[in-house]
Amino acid sequence: MILRFSLPYRTVFGQHLAVCGSHPDLGNWQPAAAADMHYDEASTCWSIELTVPDAAGELTYKYVLRDANTSGEHWEAGPNRAIAYDAARTPRLHLADYWRAPGQPENELLTAAFTKVLFRRPTGYDPAKAPAETPAAKAKKAPAAKTKTAKAAAETVVAGPGTTYPAAGQTTFRLLAPRVAPQHGLCILGSDPALGAWDNTKALVLADADYPTWSGTVTLQNPGEDCHYKYAMWDAAAGHALDMEGGENRVVPATQDYIVARVFNDEAYQYATTWRGAGVALPVFAMRSAAGLGVGEFSDLTLLTDWAVQTGLKLVQILPINDTTATHTWVDSYPYAAISVFALHPQFIHLEGIAALKDKKAAKELATLKVEFNAKDFVDYEPVMNAKWKFLKLLYKQEKAAFLSDAEYREFYASQTDWLVPYAAFSALRDRYHTADFQEWPAQFRTPQNLAELTAETALDYDEYGLFFFTQYHLDKQLRAAVAYARSRGVVLKGDLPIGIYRHSVDAWTQPELYHMDSQAGAPPDDFSTTGQNWRFPTYNWQRMAEDGYLWWKQRMGHLARYFDTLRIDHILGFFRIWEMPIESVEGLLGHFAPALPLHRHEIERRLGWFDYSRLCEPYIRWHMLQDIFQGEAQAVFDEYLNDASFGRIHLKEAVSDQRKIEAYIAQKVSAQPEHAEYFAWLQKGLFALVNEVLFVPAGDDFYHPRITLNKSYSFRELDADQDRRRLYDDIYVDFFFRRHEEFWRQQGLVKLPPVRYATDMLICGEDLGMVPASVPGVMKELGILGLNVQRMPSNPETEFSHPNDAAYLSVVTPSSHDTSTIRGWWEEDRVRTQRFFETILGHWREVAPFYCEPWVAREILVQHLHSPAMWAIFPLQDLLAMDSHLRRANPHEEQINVPSNPNHFWKYRLHFPLEELVDAVGFNEPLRALVAASGRG
């Protein structure tokens, strides 16, 4: 059996192509043993012929570009190619392929968001026939004699997804094309009579059994002539092809070899326009419905789905939904501090969805609490969670026997054991010992041991663990029901992956070797916080993670794919470098990027001209600084917290020598004098500022990182000479943060991101805001990861506002995010800036901006985003409601979900009216639907 592989591809000197695949002659998927191809200059085509000893079989393969210039190997994009061959049907099989280039926008249409939701194929759909349930379609159905289908081709045997056995003289066409509306099919029109001779009622209708690959096989009547053809959409109801694809005709070259079978794996369908969609963002906890208990629940997603369908929106985006129960206080409202990256948060359970309470007194209490909690304008986290746990325990006791014998639960337990058992053990021990800090548990529990035995149904204390098995099973069941409903209605559910893990979590308890527990992750200073953000999460031990091929990340992504078809990766910059702080820091200014290339003392000395550890690396504190910071309290602060180090120098006392010590010291003060809490908070902020007065942060072994924003410090301003300031900032600082690491961080991203990106078929979006290395956009584009564009946080530091029209296709545009004020709230923050926005972005030159963000202003901003070239325009629901004076909240400053500058922020935002009312708001929904439709989205 002879297989011939060919594809057109122009290479440069030092590059060549190879075929790698499942057959021994293709290297058994070992790139080093792949079959090298040969180049023909005249046709610019690479090809290779292989004689395979077995007469019949199936193989998968892919093309790889070897580049001797970079010693690199570059695989083509997309799924593995597949082919079946049978020498009894043809002795020669020619495979005419095209290189599938990574980074092409159409590649993202192969993700689950499109193949499983937006363009999902109807069950039992026959592309050659009209839908059975459509009488009109039956009446318009074309005569069977005028259509050909791949399924009906007598000589073709379909062996399964991806495999066909073409016979001698046959031509098979295959096209990877996910963007086909569910009510349509795909067909081929061409010059050969077998392809209808360009008659759009006699097209070759392709089969979608292996969707998103479409295929069909025919015997061309004039194989000795070039056959020109194009793909087109097939309307089975009308019995004819719709508008054909654009571009030049495709060609089947003439052949005199009438016994060869040819398979054309064609290039992408040439669409006239790119696909664009619009969506809405709302955290689950913020959803409100009549059936809820003071907080949004997974069942509410069906209501938001119904509303999205009414308004033409194709996506619902939510915040993280993992369990954050660490303290049983309002602190647990922070959704990015999960105690498990797998377990779902019990706050989202719909109690009645489990079973009705048989205890009449308890059922009455639940009904009363529902009225009380649903009347509140915010999520009252602690009372709501106390109530949920109370009734969950009652339901568990009531339903325990049926639950344990439920076959669906048994399947859930068996498939999720790896994370479910440790989570249940951790949660029960947390409640038993009243802390999530496992280092404070008894010695035998500080590391997980014999968890299967600990949580066994035969254990006397099983109910402590069984409650969590019960709760997670029903949470999973309710969420998957909501997901299935959204998919059935063509709405994509977009999840959110936090960049970090919580320090006192199941993940840290079971696999501490994967994290640097002695460090903290956060973000450098930005618009949200001038002193940086400290999330207090441990940083990742990437070196250890690489040893098993990033298995933890793959498991995490696989679990998220259980619920989501698209995903937002929070702070994707963390895959390139993370802002890491020592454990003694509270603020972020004394952090550094990790990994990084710190400066050795000799390099600093050479570039700066001198090096003095005390002056550069220890807090620079002088009396006039104390007067500036503490005003009239300067002497009192000096007496209690500082020492005279002679020659005008001042040092912090050992008891308050770092920020963590200061925090603990001040906490004692507040505990003793709570009436002066505000004063002590002011005092602590000033002491923190003194600790930050350094110019270099030691990295060990005589290496150092320049302190971020060092030019804003007293220490920098008071360097002895202008030359020192210029050299330190221009020659060292700017080079270090904006040039030195670009290639280094690019390589970090290219190593860490692919295992995460390709672990599932989800559409991946990255939150790439902040201090973005120049290499990040290129890596994200290469991997097909969508970027984020928030209008008032432009990626170009020289631009005050970004315009949605300038966004790349592979991106998401939005006017606000959960970390910013809403449009209406922002409009009132800075009148001068608002006026500039009104004139330069909205185009109202020399007009006075309205004092408040009027509905018509919000509408103009919304329309701008809808008409952006970006693949997705996603709007916080608050910004959409801003267009309606009757529906929007009275006070716009109550609409903001998070305040990043406040580490003690209470996440309590709640929609101010039930989703049932939103679904019924025809006067708002219809105009919004018209705006979406007019923009061409969806």
Side-chain angles (χ1 to χ4, degrees):
M1 179 73 190
I2 296 176
L3 298 179
R4 185 175 188 272
F5 300 84
S6 69
L7 81 165
Y9 190 94
R10 283 195 175 275
T11 52
V12 299
F13 182 78
Q15 294 179 334
H16 69 275
L17 287 172
V19 190
C20 192
S22 59
H23 196 277
D25 291 333
L26 300 180
N28 281 329
W29 285 116
Q30 297 301 314
D36 287 325
M37 304 180 75
H38 311 290
Y39 183 66
D40 178 57
E41 183 67 40
S43 62
T44 68
C45 193
W46 290 82
S47 63
I48 186 175
E49 282 194 359
L50 297 177
T51 301
V52 293
D54 38 345
E58 299 175 4
L59 61 85
T60 55
Y61 67 100
K62 214 168 187 179
Y63 294 99
V64 58
L65 176 67
R66 290 172 170 163
D67 193 337
N69 302 309
T70 61
S71 300
E73 292 178 343
H74 308 280
W75 293 86
E76 65 171 340
N80 293 338
R81 301 174 184 270
I83 192 66
Y85 55 91
D86 185 352
R89 297 179 62 78
T90 178
R92 298 175 61 85
L93 183 60
H94 289 186
L95 305 173
D97 296 326
Y98 283 90
W99 174 263
R100 299 189 305 224
Q104 294 300 305
E106 58 265 25
N107 293 343
E108 301 321 299
L109 300 182
L110 298 171
T111 57
F114 297 94
T115 60
K116 295 179 181 177
V117 185
L118 297 170
F119 303 123
R120 64 184 288 171
R121 306 303 297 164
T123 303
Y125 174 79
D126 185 341
K129 298 178 181 178
E133 69 274 16
T134 308
K138 284 185 178 181
K140 295 181 181 180
K141 180 180 173 184
K146 291 189 177 182
T147 64
K148 307 176 184 68
T149 71
K151 192 169 74 173
E155 300 89 355
T156 301
V157 179
V158 178
T163 61
T164 56
Y165 294 91
Q170 287 189 324
T171 300
T172 295
F173 298 91
R174 299 173 67 188
L175 184 70
L176 204 56
R179 188 181 166 187
V180 180
Q183 71 272 23
H184 291 153
L186 209 61
C187 66
I188 297 177
L189 288 167
S191 58
D192 192 274
L195 300 180
W198 298 112
D199 184 337
N200 73 344
T201 65
K202 299 178 180 179
L204 171 66
V205 181
L206 304 180
D208 66 348
D210 193 22
Y211 175 81
T213 297
W214 298 77
S215 60
T217 300
V218 295
T219 301
L220 297 177
Q221 293 187 23
N222 302 313
E225 301 175 5
D226 286 351
C227 172
H228 293 258
Y229 68 101
K230 277 189 174 181
Y231 290 91
M233 296 296 163
W234 176 254
D235 187 338
H240 63 70
L242 303 175
D243 292 340
M244 288 187 293
E245 63 176 338
E248 297 181 356
N249 290 340
R250 303 172 190 258
V251 179
V252 178
T255 181
Q256 302 300 320
D257 187 349
Y258 300 123
I259 63 170
V260 68
R262 295 189 287 180
V263 176
F264 288 85
N265 290 304
D266 276 324
E267 282 189 290
Y269 191 98
Q270 301 298 308
Y271 292 96
T273 60
T274 55
W275 187 94
R276 297 177 305 129
V280 61
L282 185 68
V284 176
F285 63 76
M287 298 177 190
R288 180 194 289 261
S289 72
L293 184 62
V295 68
E297 299 170 349
F298 288 145
S299 54
D300 295 333
L301 285 166
T302 59
L303 286 170
L304 196 56
T305 295
D306 288 341
W307 177 76
V309 171
Q310 286 191 27
T311 54
L313 302 177
K314 297 295 184 180
L315 181 147
V316 169
Q317 176 175 318
I318 61 178
L319 290 183
I321 52 175
N322 294 109
D323 189 1
T324 59
T325 310
T327 66
H328 289 291
T329 68
W330 68 266
V331 174
D332 298 340
S333 69
Y334 178 42
Y336 287 90
I339 64 164
S340 167
V341 298
F342 299 99
L344 300 171
H345 201 306
Q347 71 174 324
F348 301 128
I349 196 79
H350 181 55
L351 295 168
E352 291 90 338
I354 299 174
L357 284 164
K358 296 178 181 179
D359 184 324
K360 293 184 179 179
K361 183 179 178 181
K364 184 177 180 181
E365 181 185 1
L366 175 58
T368 301
L369 287 175
K370 182 172 290 191
V371 173
E372 176 187 340
F373 292 156
N374 283 347
K376 296 186 177 184
D377 286 335
F378 65 97
V379 178
D380 200 355
Y381 186 87
E382 286 187 45
V384 166
M385 285 309 304
N386 289 338
K388 292 241 176 180
W389 280 120
K390 177 178 181 177
F391 295 114
L392 277 169
K393 290 174 182 177
L394 290 174
L395 285 167
Y396 169 70
K397 184 177 180 181
Q398 172 185 303
E399 300 295 318
K400 179 180 176 181
F403 160 68
L404 291 176
S405 61
D406 187 340
E408 287 188 17
Y409 164 67
R410 290 298 179 188
E411 188 281 328
F412 170 76
Y413 181 91
S415 65
Q416 308 299 314
T417 296
D418 288 348
W419 68 264
L420 183 62
V421 168
Y423 164 78
F426 180 93
S427 299
L429 293 170
R430 171 204 63 205
D431 292 350
R432 182 187 298 179
Y433 299 112
H434 309 292
T435 178
D437 185 352
F438 46 86
Q439 294 302 329
E440 296 183 11
W441 295 349
Q444 68 267 33
F445 296 127
R446 289 175 191 166
T447 57
Q449 302 176 47
N450 305 316
L451 297 186
E453 296 177 17
L454 183 71
T455 62
E457 291 178 30
T458 53
L460 293 177
D461 56 355
Y462 171 74
D463 287 344
E464 289 186 44
Y465 312 103
L467 172 66
F468 298 102
F469 293 140
F470 175 79
T471 303
Q472 287 301 311
Y473 166 64
H474 283 289
L475 282 164
D476 177 83
K477 186 176 181 178
Q478 291 181 10
L479 177 54
R480 287 192 298 115
V483 170
Y485 182 80
R487 286 174 176 163
S488 72
R489 303 218 65 190
V491 174
V492 177
L493 189 60
K494 181 180 180 181
D496 194 324
L497 180 145
I499 187 60
I501 68 150
Y502 188 52
R503 186 170 297 278
H504 308 309
S505 65
V506 185
D507 308 281
W509 183 50
T510 57
Q511 295 178 283
E513 69 279 5
L514 297 182
Y515 321 102
H516 293 302
M517 300 300 293
D518 58 348
S519 295
Q520 307 174 98
D526 55 21
D527 292 343
F528 297 132
S529 175
T530 57
T531 57
Q533 298 177 50
N534 184 351
W535 306 323
R536 304 200 178 191
F537 303 147
T539 55
Y540 293 121
N541 184 347
W542 288 106
Q543 185 175 355
R544 173 61 183 82
M545 288 178 161
E547 292 176 5
D548 60 8
Y550 304 95
L551 178 62
W552 181 82
W553 280 104
K554 293 175 180 177
Q555 292 171 335
R556 187 178 182 185
M557 295 294 288
H559 191 73
L560 288 166
R562 182 177 177 89
Y563 311 119
F564 305 115
D565 298 304
T566 184
L567 188 72
R568 170 190 179 269
I569 296 181
D570 171 54
H571 195 67
I572 199 170
L573 305 181
F575 287 88
F576 296 82
R577 80 291 186 275
I578 196 76
W579 190 248
E580 185 175 79
M581 290 148 285
I583 203 69
E584 61 268 18
S585 282
V586 175
E587 297 178 325
L589 282 178
L590 296 187
H592 62 274
F593 286 122
L597 304 170
L599 302 161
H600 191 271
R601 177 174 60 85
H602 294 158
E603 184 178 356
I604 298 173
E605 195 167 23
R606 174 176 56 81
R607 299 174 69 174
L608 185 60
W610 59 279
F611 183 89
D612 181 332
Y613 185 91
S614 175
R615 178 64 182 86
L616 295 174
C617 305
E618 293 178 353
Y620 175 85
I621 307 173
R622 299 294 185 270
W623 175 250
H624 67 276
M625 293 166 52
L626 300 183
Q627 293 177 309
D628 280 353
I629 296 171
F630 300 107
Q631 302 295 313
E633 294 291 310
Q635 187 62 52
V637 170
F638 175 85
D639 292 341
E640 183 170 359
Y641 298 98
L642 299 138
N643 288 320
D644 185 349
S646 72
F647 301 105
R649 297 176 301 165
I650 299 173
H651 288 174
L652 287 157
K653 291 181 178 179
E654 180 58 33
V656 288
S657 59
D658 63 49
Q659 291 184 342
R660 196 68 72 189
K661 289 179 180 178
I662 293 170
E663 184 181 54
Y665 191 96
I666 296 296
Q668 292 179 345
K669 293 274 191 180
V670 172
S671 178
Q673 305 175 60
E675 67 277 13
H676 298 306
E678 188 174 341
Y679 166 78
F680 287 123
W682 168 81
L683 180 63
Q684 176 175 277
K685 182 178 180 182
L687 292 172
F688 281 176
L690 296 181
V691 176
N692 290 331
E693 281 295 326
V694 300
L695 298 178
F696 285 92
V697 178
D701 297 326
D702 223 8
F703 282 89
Y704 304 87
H705 302 275
R707 201 212 83 177
I708 193 79
T709 62
L710 57 77
N711 56 309
K712 296 182 180 180
S713 67
Y714 283 98
S715 184
F716 178 82
R717 293 195 298 269
E718 297 183 13
L719 286 170
D720 293 337
D722 290 341
Q723 186 181 56
D724 286 343
R725 287 188 288 275
R726 182 189 59 76
R727 285 180 175 175
L728 177 56
Y729 186 78
D730 295 337
D731 297 350
I732 297 178
Y733 183 88
V734 173
D735 175 68
F736 187 87
F737 283 106
F738 299 102
R739 290 191 289 267
R740 182 184 182 94
H741 294 90
E742 282 308 321
E743 179 58 23
F744 178 69
W745 285 335
R746 189 181 79 86
Q747 292 299 329
Q748 294 292 321
L750 286 173
V751 168
K752 298 168 188 172
L753 269 175
V756 176
R757 167 67 180 86
Y758 299 118
T760 70
D761 61 353
M762 289 186 288
L763 175 66
I764 304 297
C765 308
E767 186 265 296
D768 54 348
L769 305 177
M771 193 173 175
V772 183
S775 59
V776 169
V779 172
M780 291 178 63
K781 181 180 180 181
E782 182 175 341
L783 298 177
I785 298 175
L786 277 63
L788 177 63
N789 293 279
V790 180
Q791 188 164 34
R792 57 195 121 130
M793 297 178 64
S795 57
N796 183 354
E798 298 179 0
T799 303
E800 185 174 20
F801 310 107
S802 64
H803 198 292
N805 282 352
D806 298 328
Y809 175 65
L810 290 184
S811 68
V812 176
V813 292
T814 183
S816 313
S817 79
H818 67 273
D819 281 329
T820 71
S821 51
T822 59
I823 289 174
R824 295 172 62 212
W826 172 78
W827 195 265
E828 299 175 20
E829 290 173 2
D830 185 334
R831 289 289 306 159
V832 175
R833 194 175 186 212
T834 299
Q835 181 65 40
R836 288 197 299 270
F837 177 87
F838 189 66
E839 292 191 53
T840 61
I841 300 299
L842 295 186
H844 295 280
W845 295 99
R846 298 185 180 181
E847 296 180 37
V848 178
F851 187 83
Y852 300 110
C853 183
E854 304 295 347
W856 64 268
V857 175
R859 184 181 185 277
E860 286 190 9
I861 296 172
L862 170 72
V863 169
Q864 263 193 355
H865 284 73
L866 283 173
H867 286 269
S868 165
M871 176 184 280
W872 287 101
I874 301 177
F875 305 92
L877 182 58
Q878 304 96 299
D879 286 348
L880 293 174
L881 295 175
M883 295 188 297
D884 191 296
S885 58
H886 301 292
L887 289 179
R888 65 188 197 173
R889 208 176 192 119
N891 183 355
H893 302 291
E894 295 176 355
E895 296 179 324
Q896 187 166 346
I897 295 172
N898 180 36
V899 182
S901 60
N902 179 10
N904 298 315
H905 176 69
F906 180 9
W907 293 64
K908 62 181 181 180
Y909 170 73
R910 194 175 186 214
L911 189 63
H912 55 290
F913 59 87
L915 286 170
E916 290 91 342
E917 288 186 19
L918 185 63
V919 172
D920 292 337
V922 178
F924 171 68
N925 297 341
E926 287 302 319
L928 176 56
R929 183 182 184 88
L931 290 178
V932 174
S935 72
R937 290 192 175 269

